[in-house]
Amino acid sequence: MLDKNVVIAHRGASGYAPEHTFASYDKSHFDMHADYIELDVHMTLDGEIIVMHDESIERTALTPGIIKEMTLQEIKQLTIGKWFNEKYPELKSAYYEEQVVPTLKDIFERYGDANYYIETKSPDIYPGMEKLLIDTLDAFGLVSEARLQNRQTVIQSFSVESLIKVNQIKPNFPLLMLAKKGVLRNMSDDELRKIHEFVYAVGPSIADLDEALIERMHNIGFLLFPYTLNKEEDMERFINAGIDGAFTNYPDLLRKQFRLDNGEVFE
């Protein structure tokens, strides 16, 4: 069961390659051996699940457009790496400029039975997203009893309503509740215990993280995986404070910090 020293590749190895592309996921999965591939999912106009962070394509495709108003064919004509080369010239690659938007099926066909963290993005604007997501996972054999017991496939969201829908469709599915700054602190223990009845872990912003919050979440029974842990000094500090793992754009650095915490020596 993946519950300790967990490295979750946030949008892939997105500190090194364009987020949510095969370039980024290949690096995190094949080269850096992160424990999980992390995906954000949206739905196209014609009901296909695609992998992208924003509701708009503007930031990464450098052209206007709203995903829910576009067909999969339109989405597939986009390339989404040029922005990365422009923003990070020291990391630029011609290969990155060829990257296209993957569907969820594309991801599963490429990485098979890898471990996945899948975030339902803006689920309120995509009716039926949760059912389609579960059906797609099931079609690829990613909701077997063994996988769910070992938390190899996890669904996460900032929307408690979306997590409730997943739980209603597939009871006992491993769920993580993401939380913006202040959300967990402003919830009572009783409210959190109610959520813990169907949610096994929380993902707070590192802007909201300290030892007291980590201890409180653990006392309620949650595992704790903060986002997004990118600086080595923060990694060291929060590992020492007791986090169970983290989302990171730099899977190799987080893995190294966990290994250092375990007493391994690097030449």
Side-chain angles (χ1 to χ4, degrees):
M1 190 172 289
L2 298 171
D3 288 346
K4 192 65 179 173
N5 297 347
V6 179
V7 176
I8 306 167
H10 182 244
R11 312 180 199 177
S14 55
Y16 300 105
E19 65 185 59
H20 290 321
T21 64
F22 285 159
S24 183
Y25 292 133
D26 284 356
K27 194 175 291 290
S28 70
H29 184 65
F30 297 124
D31 298 342
M32 299 179 180
H33 306 291
D35 295 308
Y36 286 92
I37 294 173
E38 193 260 356
L39 314 166
D40 297 309
V41 295
H42 293 268
M43 287 177 63
T44 63
L45 180 63
D46 47 348
E48 294 288 339
I49 297 181
I50 61 114
V51 179
M52 186 176 277
H53 181 269
D54 305 346
E55 294 175 30
S56 164
I57 65 170
E58 185 169 356
R59 179 175 63 88
T60 54
L62 301 178
T63 188
I66 305 297
I67 292 171
K68 71 174 184 177
E69 299 173 354
M70 302 175 69
T71 65
L72 179 60
Q73 183 178 9
E74 291 172 323
I75 294 285
K76 280 296 190 180
Q77 293 173 357
L78 306 171
T79 54
I80 52 171
K82 184 178 178 181
W83 73 272
F84 184 89
N85 283 351
E86 292 178 352
K87 187 171 182 178
Y88 305 103
E90 70 280 10
L91 298 173
K92 72 181 297 184
S93 166
Y95 175 60
Y96 294 164
E97 299 210 11
E98 302 170 1
Q99 299 301 297
V100 298
V101 179
T103 66
L104 189 61
K105 293 175 183 177
D106 292 336
I107 295 292
F108 294 158
E109 287 170 355
R110 190 175 185 92
Y111 303 107
D113 61 355
N115 303 324
Y116 300 99
Y117 257 93
I118 305 172
E119 180 180 349
T120 58
K121 299 293 289 188
S122 308
D124 53 312
I125 69 172
Y126 302 118
M129 169 186 271
E130 292 82 5
K131 178 66 163 59
L132 182 57
L133 174 55
I134 293 295
D135 287 348
T136 305
L137 286 163
D138 195 26
F140 281 86
L142 298 174
V143 292
S144 68
E145 184 176 343
R147 283 191 68 92
L148 298 190
Q149 285 180 344
N150 289 290
R151 297 169 181 158
Q152 292 173 274
T153 308
V154 179
I155 292 176
Q156 60 182 346
S157 188
F158 286 97
S159 168
V160 176
E161 291 77 15
S162 185
L163 297 177
I164 290 171
K165 288 178 183 178
V166 173
N167 181 250
Q168 290 172 338
I169 296 165
K170 190 74 175 178
N172 301 319
F173 202 106
L175 302 174
L176 177 142
M177 182 180 73
L178 296 164
K180 295 180 180 179
K181 185 176 180 179
V183 170
L184 295 176
R185 294 185 187 278
N186 291 331
M187 296 179 74
S188 69
D189 284 0
D190 285 344
E191 288 173 320
L192 288 166
R193 289 191 188 98
K194 187 75 173 176
I195 289 172
H196 184 49
E197 291 176 6
F198 62 97
V199 170
Y200 89 98
V202 290
S205 165
I206 62 166
D208 203 26
L209 203 57
D210 58 23
E211 290 186 14
L213 184 64
I214 294 170
E215 183 177 7
R216 182 179 175 223
M217 294 302 107
H218 281 163
N219 286 341
I220 289 169
F222 290 113
L223 295 179
L224 189 138
F225 306 107
Y227 71 92
T228 306
L229 208 48
N230 290 329
K231 296 180 180 178
E232 290 186 90
E233 59 267 30
D234 289 337
M235 294 175 184
E236 181 180 7
R237 177 159 58 99
F238 291 127
I239 288 171
N240 289 337
I243 62 171
D244 301 292
F247 297 83
T248 180
N249 298 348
Y250 302 94
D252 55 338
L253 299 184
L254 182 57
R255 175 71 73 211
K256 179 179 178 181
Q257 287 300 319
F258 277 129
R259 292 170 66 186
L260 287 170
D261 185 62
N262 287 333
E264 294 190 35
V265 177
F266 295 85
E267 294 297 333

